Amino acid sequence: MNQHKRGAMLFEALVSTAVLGTALAITAQLSGLAHVQQRSAERRGVALAEAANLMERAAALPADQIAPEFVTEWKLSDIAVSRLPEARLAVSVVDEPGEVSARRLSVEIRWRNRAGQDDAPVRLTSWFYPTTGGAAATETSPAETPPEEATP
């Protein structure tokens, strides 16, 4: 009977070691996946900040200066180039037809992921309307419009 207990304990030790090894392998894989996702989110944040900075640069200009010839000179910042593998910038300016003249500015930033494939790009688009003076007026959504102050 004593031999049987020793064999059962050895079997239990082997099973528990196998379960522990499997749990460690799964934990390591999940940790690696979390790291890849974190890096992807960081890259997307860098691309979004870069696109927003380019839009702010355009918003500081009069609408008539936002032209295709002007935006072709735009380049990605050194930070974006260092953090986004094979980063590419595409900027377009299109005159929108209609009663009120407007210019549509689109900024797109692309980069490659670890597998060498294009990651989903970041795209920002804004419409610029001419004003009588100062910088161009930009279109905002209702959520971005500040609420009117209440009067007592």
Side-chain angles (χ1 to χ4, degrees), residues 4 19 21 27 29 40 72 86 88-89 95 98 109 112 116 125 130 137 143:
H4 180 65
V19 168
T27 302
Q29 287 180 346
S40 177
T72 56
E86 299 181 43
R88 298 172 310 280
L89 172 66
D95 287 326
I109 300 176
R112 296 203 181 264
T125 301

Side-chain angles (χ1 to χ4, degrees), residues 6-149:
R6 259 190 271 157
M9 288 185 63
L10 180 60
F11 180 72
E12 289 173 358
L14 287 173
V15 169
S16 64
T17 302
V19 168
L20 183 61
T22 303
L24 286 174
I26 291 171
T27 302
Q29 287 180 346
L30 289 175
S31 176
L33 183 61
H35 178 71
V36 168
Q37 291 296 322
Q38 179 183 9
R39 176 161 254 179
S40 177
E42 286 174 2
R43 287 178 176 164
R44 182 159 298 287
V46 167
L48 187 57
E50 185 74 13
N53 286 341
L54 292 171
M55 281 294 183
E56 284 185 36
R57 179 195 290 181
L61 299 171
D64 61 341
Q65 287 186 13
I66 301 170
E69 313 81 53
F70 175 71
V71 298
T72 56
E73 300 171 3
W74 288 2
K75 304 284 184 230
L76 291 170
S77 69
D78 292 339
I79 292 172
V81 170
S82 68
R83 298 239 178 118
L84 301 173
E86 299 181 43
R88 298 172 310 280
L89 172 66
V91 182
S92 67
V93 176
V94 177
D95 287 326
E96 293 287 325
E99 287 183 30
V100 178
S101 65
R103 287 202 168 148
R104 182 181 67 209
L105 174 65
S106 297
V107 175
E108 178 180 277
I109 300 176
R110 293 182 167 272
W111 65 95
R112 296 203 181 264
N113 59 21
R114 278 182 29 178
Q117 301 168 335
D118 276 350
D119 225 336
V122 168
R123 293 183 189 111
L124 290 181
T125 301
S126 188
W127 285 261
F128 293 88
Y129 300 93
T131 59
T132 55
T138 60
E139 186 174 284
T140 59
S141 67
E144 296 172 345
T145 306
E148 294 186 28
E149 293 183 25

